[in-house]
Each structure stands twice: as structure tokens, then as C-alpha cells.
Amino acid sequence: MERVSGKGKDVYIETFGCQMNEDDSERLFAFLNEIDFQKTDEPEDADLIILNTCSIREKAEQKVYSTLGRLKALKKKNPDLIIGISGCVAQQEGQRLLKRIPHLDLVIGTQNIHRVDALLKEVSTKGARVVANELSATISSGEYRPRLRDVKKVKSFVSIMRGCNNFCSYCIVPYVRGSEVSRPSPEILEEVKTLASGGTKEVTLLGQNVNSYGTSGGGDVSFPELLTSVCRVEGIERVRFITSHPKDISMELLELFSAERKLCRNIHLPVQSGSDKVLERMKRGYTADEYLEKVFLLKRLYPGTSISTDIIVGFPGEEERDFEATMEVVKVVEFDSIFSFKYSPRPGTLAAKFTDQVPPDVRSRRLEVLQAEQKQITIKKNKALEGKTVEVLVEGRSKASEDELTGRTPCNRVVNFPGELALAGSIIEVLITQAYSNSLRAVPIERSLLCC
Ligand code: 5AD
Ligand code: SF4
């Protein structure tokens, strides 16, 4: 098929939501760049605007509609402007979006990114308004190609699988991302090698549930085997992975924390709740004690491993004592960081039909209490690093100050320090001088004393 030419044309992509969406946006741009589109940071300058959207909570979805509303004026000014929406809201709403948003031209579902060229052609040559949101049980060849080779990025995400088969009762992901499929490992390794040859030093392997990589179609090796191979790629200095489901985490995986030097001792292990009653209604497949057992085993065997988590407060039927059980887990584990959310009913999910919804003001109060507790824990943990030497992978200029560089420790803490931009991409040792709640300040030093 004849291709659309983006020569001399600019695309503006705005990304909402999680790391999976960030990676999808990068892939989307790579496909557009193949047909000569360039990137712009200004929607006013764009010939094509795509919002890559998130529907995990109602608030995220509303943000998409208000942004789409603001684009109406741009379309009026420039009727040739093409406006598209991709990601989870596109997948979920499909055709309904075209009805609701008259100035919308294109709806690209979560598994149709690689078709953007053909879809644009229908819009630009036939003047059609197009929806592509079919879901498939397999990954078609070329879906994850291409990868931009000319962008030097210190760190990068690499999707190793898509979809989710868990159907936690609150979650929209299995509906908008489809069933779980793993990418073949040779293709993943090829991508990591390409990134390494372009200067990437750190990769984060991405999946909704990375521990089940290779178990439900597509993958030809186990997740620990894949991780081991990725750690062996020359030029890659650090490897991370997200997200791990607590029910699927194995000893074989944990052992890699000592076997593989490049694997950062850093794990995201969403607990969601500390109440067995709530966990059961969430369909999480573990009890609070089973979760704690794994966490304490991890802490005992691999000291210094940083653990982060996701928590939902105000899930239907959550009583005060259930919330207290969650607070208890937060206090005993002392997570390095938490991502906490008020429960948001998602149409079509099981939990949205539960009749014992928690009132919004109770959800808000619980979230405040939880976040205040965690803030103290994070500050305490960060303070304990003052005066210590840590390794930092230098990412580039700090957003906060032009004169400073920014990087992360193996435990994923943000560190800002003075230095020359030429250091970007190298791993250096710094002395932590001051701890804040979300970052650390430091000065570069010559020699390692110890690590966080
Ligand atoms: N309401 C609130 N939080 C949710 N999450 C997923 N679905 C919902 C929902 N309906 C949270 C979970 C998940 C994270 C990515 O988002 O904590 O781990
Ligand atoms: Fe959603 Fe549960 Fe799948 Fe995570 S594991 S994406 S919370 S259904």
C-alpha cells in the first residue's frame, strides 16, 4: 500500500498514564518517524495530534476528555489538522468517541499502533473518520518494530509482553489491553542490543505481570531466563523490571538479585490492601500474611532491596478495620515508596457492581492518612542515606536546576548533584549530603565507601 508522507509535517503526542503508555508513545512516534513525521512539543505547530490515553481511574479518563475539548479551537483554526486518540480510552470507547467528539478523526486501540500509517492514509486521502480497536490473541510480526536508533537515551523501557489474564475485580486493564501474550525472547534481546549500541545503559522490562512471562503464549523461555540473558547484553549496565504480581514471584527470580550484578535490587510488588477480606474480593490470589512472608524473605535474603507498592483505599466493603490492616502492612514493611489511589469504579468490572461502595469522603480521608504515614517513612529512609556513598547512573540535566545533574541509585532514588553534562550515561559515586521526601542531594566523589 502506498504510504502517507509526513515529510515537513509535525506530530504532537501527549501521553497519559503508566510506563506502558510511555513506551507505546515512543513506539507510535517511531512508526510515524518512518514516514518522515517530526516531533513537536507545541500542539499549535502540529499537523497531527495524538493523545495516548489512560482509563485506569475515572479521573484519568476525564483528563482526556477535557484535553480533547481544548483541541477543538485548534481544529477550527486549522481544518487540515488531524486529531487522534490512542491507548486505553481509545480501546474502551472506540466508535463512541467519534460520536461524542465531532472534531476527532482517528481512534487507535491498544493493539493497533503499528497500523498508524495505513490508518492515517484513510483519514487523509479518503477524509474518513477511522476507528481501529480490534484485540488479538497473538502478537503479529512487526508490531514492536521499529525502534528509533538515532536517539541516545540513557535508560529505556522494553515491553516484554502485553495484556493481563488476572482480572482483579477493580481493574480495567484486561479489558483494554487484552489477554496476556509474551514477545519472543530473541526479538526482545535484539531490541535490547539495539538500544545498547545506541548508548542506552539501563533497561526496564515492562509487563502488567512480568513473572508470568512465557507462561501464556508467545514467550519461549521463563522470566528469570529472559532476565539473565538481558543482563548479559554488552553495554547494558542496569536491568530493572515492572510489575511483579505477588502471587507469581518465584525463588528462582529472587536468586537473580545475588547472581546478576546488573540486576538492580529494586522490586515493585503491589499489595493493594492489607485486609484478607478485601484482597479476596479484589481477587488478588494471596493473603496479607502470604504477601508479608515473601517481602520478609526478600528483605532477609537480599538486604538493601528497595520495595515499592500500589495500594487502593476505599475498595467496596472496606471497613475501618480493613483500612487499619492496610496501615499495619505499610508500617511493618516500611516500603521505599508507595503509589496510592482512591478506589474508582470502572464500568464493566466486577467491583463496579458491588453494592457496598465506600463514600467518597471516607475514601479521601483514608488516602490522606495513608499518604501522611508513608511520607514519614520515606523521609526516615532517605535521611538514613545522608553521609553515605551511592552509585548513580547519570541521566542528564536536573529539571529543578540548570546547573545540576540528575540520576538514580540502583534502588531507584532520584539524586541531584553538581557536574558536567558530559557525565550523562556514566555511573559515578556520589556522597549524599541532604535528604528530602522525593529526592536526595549529593556531591560527586572519587571512591566507593558503601551502597544504599
Ligand atoms: N481504582 C483505583 N486504583 C486502581 N488501580 C487499578 N484499578 C484501579 C481502580 N479501579 C491501581 C492499582 C494498580 C495501579 C496501576 O492502579 O493499585 O496496581
Ligand atoms: Fe489489573 Fe490485576 Fe492485571 Fe494488575 S494484575 S493489570 S491490577 S488485572
Side-chain angles (χ1 to χ4, degrees):
M1 187 206 281
E2 197 195 316
R3 318 187 96 196
V4 173
S5 173
K7 213 170 184 61
K9 291 189 181 161
D10 291 326
V11 57
Y12 171 81
I13 301 175
E14 187 163 338
T15 310
F16 300 80
C18 65
Q19 295 94 340
M20 195 67 82
N21 265 12
E22 279 181 43
D23 189 54
D24 282 350
S25 287
E26 211 174 279
R27 221 155 38 91
L28 178 64
F29 177 63
F31 280 109
L32 287 167
N33 190 248
E34 278 201 331
I35 50 171
D36 289 330
F37 271 94
Q38 298 305 313
K39 211 181 245 175
T40 175
D41 293 331
E42 303 299 332
E44 291 77 11
D45 298 340
D47 303 282
L48 168 66
I49 295 179
I50 299 184
L51 306 183
N52 190 15
T53 62
C54 169
S55 64
I56 195 104
R57 284 169 289 277
E58 194 186 352
K59 218 165 145 191
E61 205 176 323
Q62 277 166 357
K63 220 157 119 191
V64 173
Y65 289 114
S66 58
T67 310
L68 272 172
R70 282 200 299 276
L71 296 180
K72 192 174 174 183
L74 288 183
K75 181 85 170 182
K76 210 168 170 193
K77 244 205 269 169
N78 172 16
D80 291 335
L81 169 68
I82 297 177
I83 300 180
I85 159 166
S86 61
C88 297
V89 177
Q91 183 63 45
Q92 183 183 292
E93 297 300 311
Q95 201 74 34
R96 284 196 294 269
L97 279 166
L98 292 188
K99 268 208 191 112
R100 182 168 171 177
I101 321 279
H103 54 285
L104 186 64
D105 303 291
L106 178 58
V107 179
I108 310 173
T110 51
Q111 296 183 11
N112 284 276
I113 289 174
H114 60 295
R115 294 181 53 213
V116 65
D117 177 12
L119 301 173
L120 271 178
K121 189 161 186 283
E122 281 187 53
V123 176
S124 57
T125 60
K126 295 188 199 151
R129 300 177 79 209
V130 178
V131 176
N133 69 341
E134 310 78 39
L135 289 178
S136 154
T138 54
I139 296 179
S140 54
S141 85
E143 246 183 83
Y144 283 84
R145 179 206 55 80
R147 187 95 215 182
L148 280 186
R149 281 145 215 263
D150 57 347
V151 179
K152 188 178 181 319
K153 284 183 75 189
V154 173
K155 56 178 195 175
S156 183
F157 294 121
V158 174
S159 288
I160 62 166
M161 60 204 295
R162 72 166 184 221
C164 182
N165 291 347
N166 283 315
F167 289 91
C168 300
S169 63
Y170 51 83
C171 188
I172 197 75
V173 168
Y175 303 93
V176 291
R177 293 263 169 193
S179 50
E180 204 171 275
V181 198
S182 304
R183 289 176 68 194
S185 67
E187 192 184 293
I188 295 168
L189 287 168
E190 190 59 42
E191 184 170 330
V192 175
K193 284 178 193 159
T194 304
L195 287 165
S197 66
T200 297
K201 294 290 187 316
E202 175 181 309
V203 288
T204 300
L205 305 186
L206 274 188
Q208 304 297 344
N209 180 15
V210 289
N211 303 103
S212 64
Y213 173 84
T215 60
S216 45
D220 41 347
V221 295
S222 70
F223 182 57
E225 285 167 335
L226 177 69
L227 259 185
T228 306
S229 304
V230 170
C231 287
R232 303 278 148 85
V233 173
E234 211 177 305
I236 295 297
E237 294 295 334
R238 285 181 173 180
V239 179
R240 303 182 193 274
F241 56 90
I242 41 174
T243 290
S244 298
H245 196 302
K247 75 176 164 55
D248 295 326
I249 202 146
S250 65
M251 276 314 290
E252 198 192 348
L253 173 73
L254 297 187
E255 279 160 13
L256 293 183
F257 280 125
S258 63
E260 293 297 336
R261 176 190 62 81
K262 294 181 185 176
L263 187 64
C264 295
R265 288 193 178 189
N266 167 222
I267 193 162
H268 184 62
L269 207 54
V271 63
Q272 310 295 2
S273 170
S275 151
D276 288 345
K277 179 189 91 186
V278 173
L279 285 170
E280 196 178 339
R281 294 185 92 205
M282 285 178 162
K283 294 192 172 292
R284 288 293 289 173
Y286 53 84
T287 63
D289 278 348
E290 283 163 354
Y291 179 88
L292 291 174
E293 218 169 275
K294 289 188 179 176
V295 164
F296 286 113
L297 181 73
L298 184 62
K299 282 184 178 238
R300 199 172 65 243
L301 295 181
Y302 309 105
T305 303
S306 71
I307 306 171
S308 55
T309 202
D310 291 343
I311 293 177
I312 298 176
V313 297
F315 184 79
E318 184 189 75
E319 293 173 277
E320 207 52 37
R321 61 173 171 218
D322 300 309
F323 174 62
E324 276 159 20
T326 300
M327 290 299 290
E328 195 50 37
V329 168
V330 169
K331 285 177 193 165
V332 297
V333 174
E334 296 199 314
F335 292 104
D336 291 80
S337 62
I338 65 170
F339 299 85
S340 47
F341 314 100
K342 283 185 265 187
Y343 168 70
S344 168
R346 300 287 64 212
T349 60
L350 185 64
K353 297 184 193 88
F354 291 165
T355 50
D356 45 3
Q357 301 287 328
V358 172
D361 58 325
V362 177
R363 284 185 237 168
S364 299
R365 186 187 55 75
R366 288 180 186 163
L367 188 68
E368 265 174 44
V369 172
L370 171 63
Q371 290 182 341
E373 178 66 35
Q374 181 59 33
K375 192 169 177 193
Q376 297 310 315
I377 294 170
T378 310
I379 291 176
K380 186 176 109 182
K381 293 197 128 192
N382 284 355
K383 282 267 174 221
L385 288 171
E386 283 181 350
K388 300 229 162 111
T389 298
V390 296
E391 274 188 356
V392 170
L393 171 61
V394 186
E395 289 171 19
R397 286 246 172 274
S398 148
K399 276 192 199 123
S401 157
E402 270 288 292
D403 308 327
E404 292 210 318
L405 297 177
T406 190
R408 281 178 189 254
T409 66
C411 298
N412 223 5
R413 287 187 168 82
V414 175
V415 185
N416 296 313
F417 49 94
E420 297 296 322
L421 191 57
L423 282 173
S426 41
I427 293 181
I428 63 163
E429 286 172 340
V430 299
L431 177 71
I432 305 297
T433 52
Q434 186 133 29
Y436 305 103
S437 54
N438 294 320
S439 66
L440 301 163
R441 291 217 72 238
V443 287
I445 58 155
E446 303 283 308
R447 212 166 42 78
S448 165
L449 300 174
L450 46 99
C451 181
C452 73

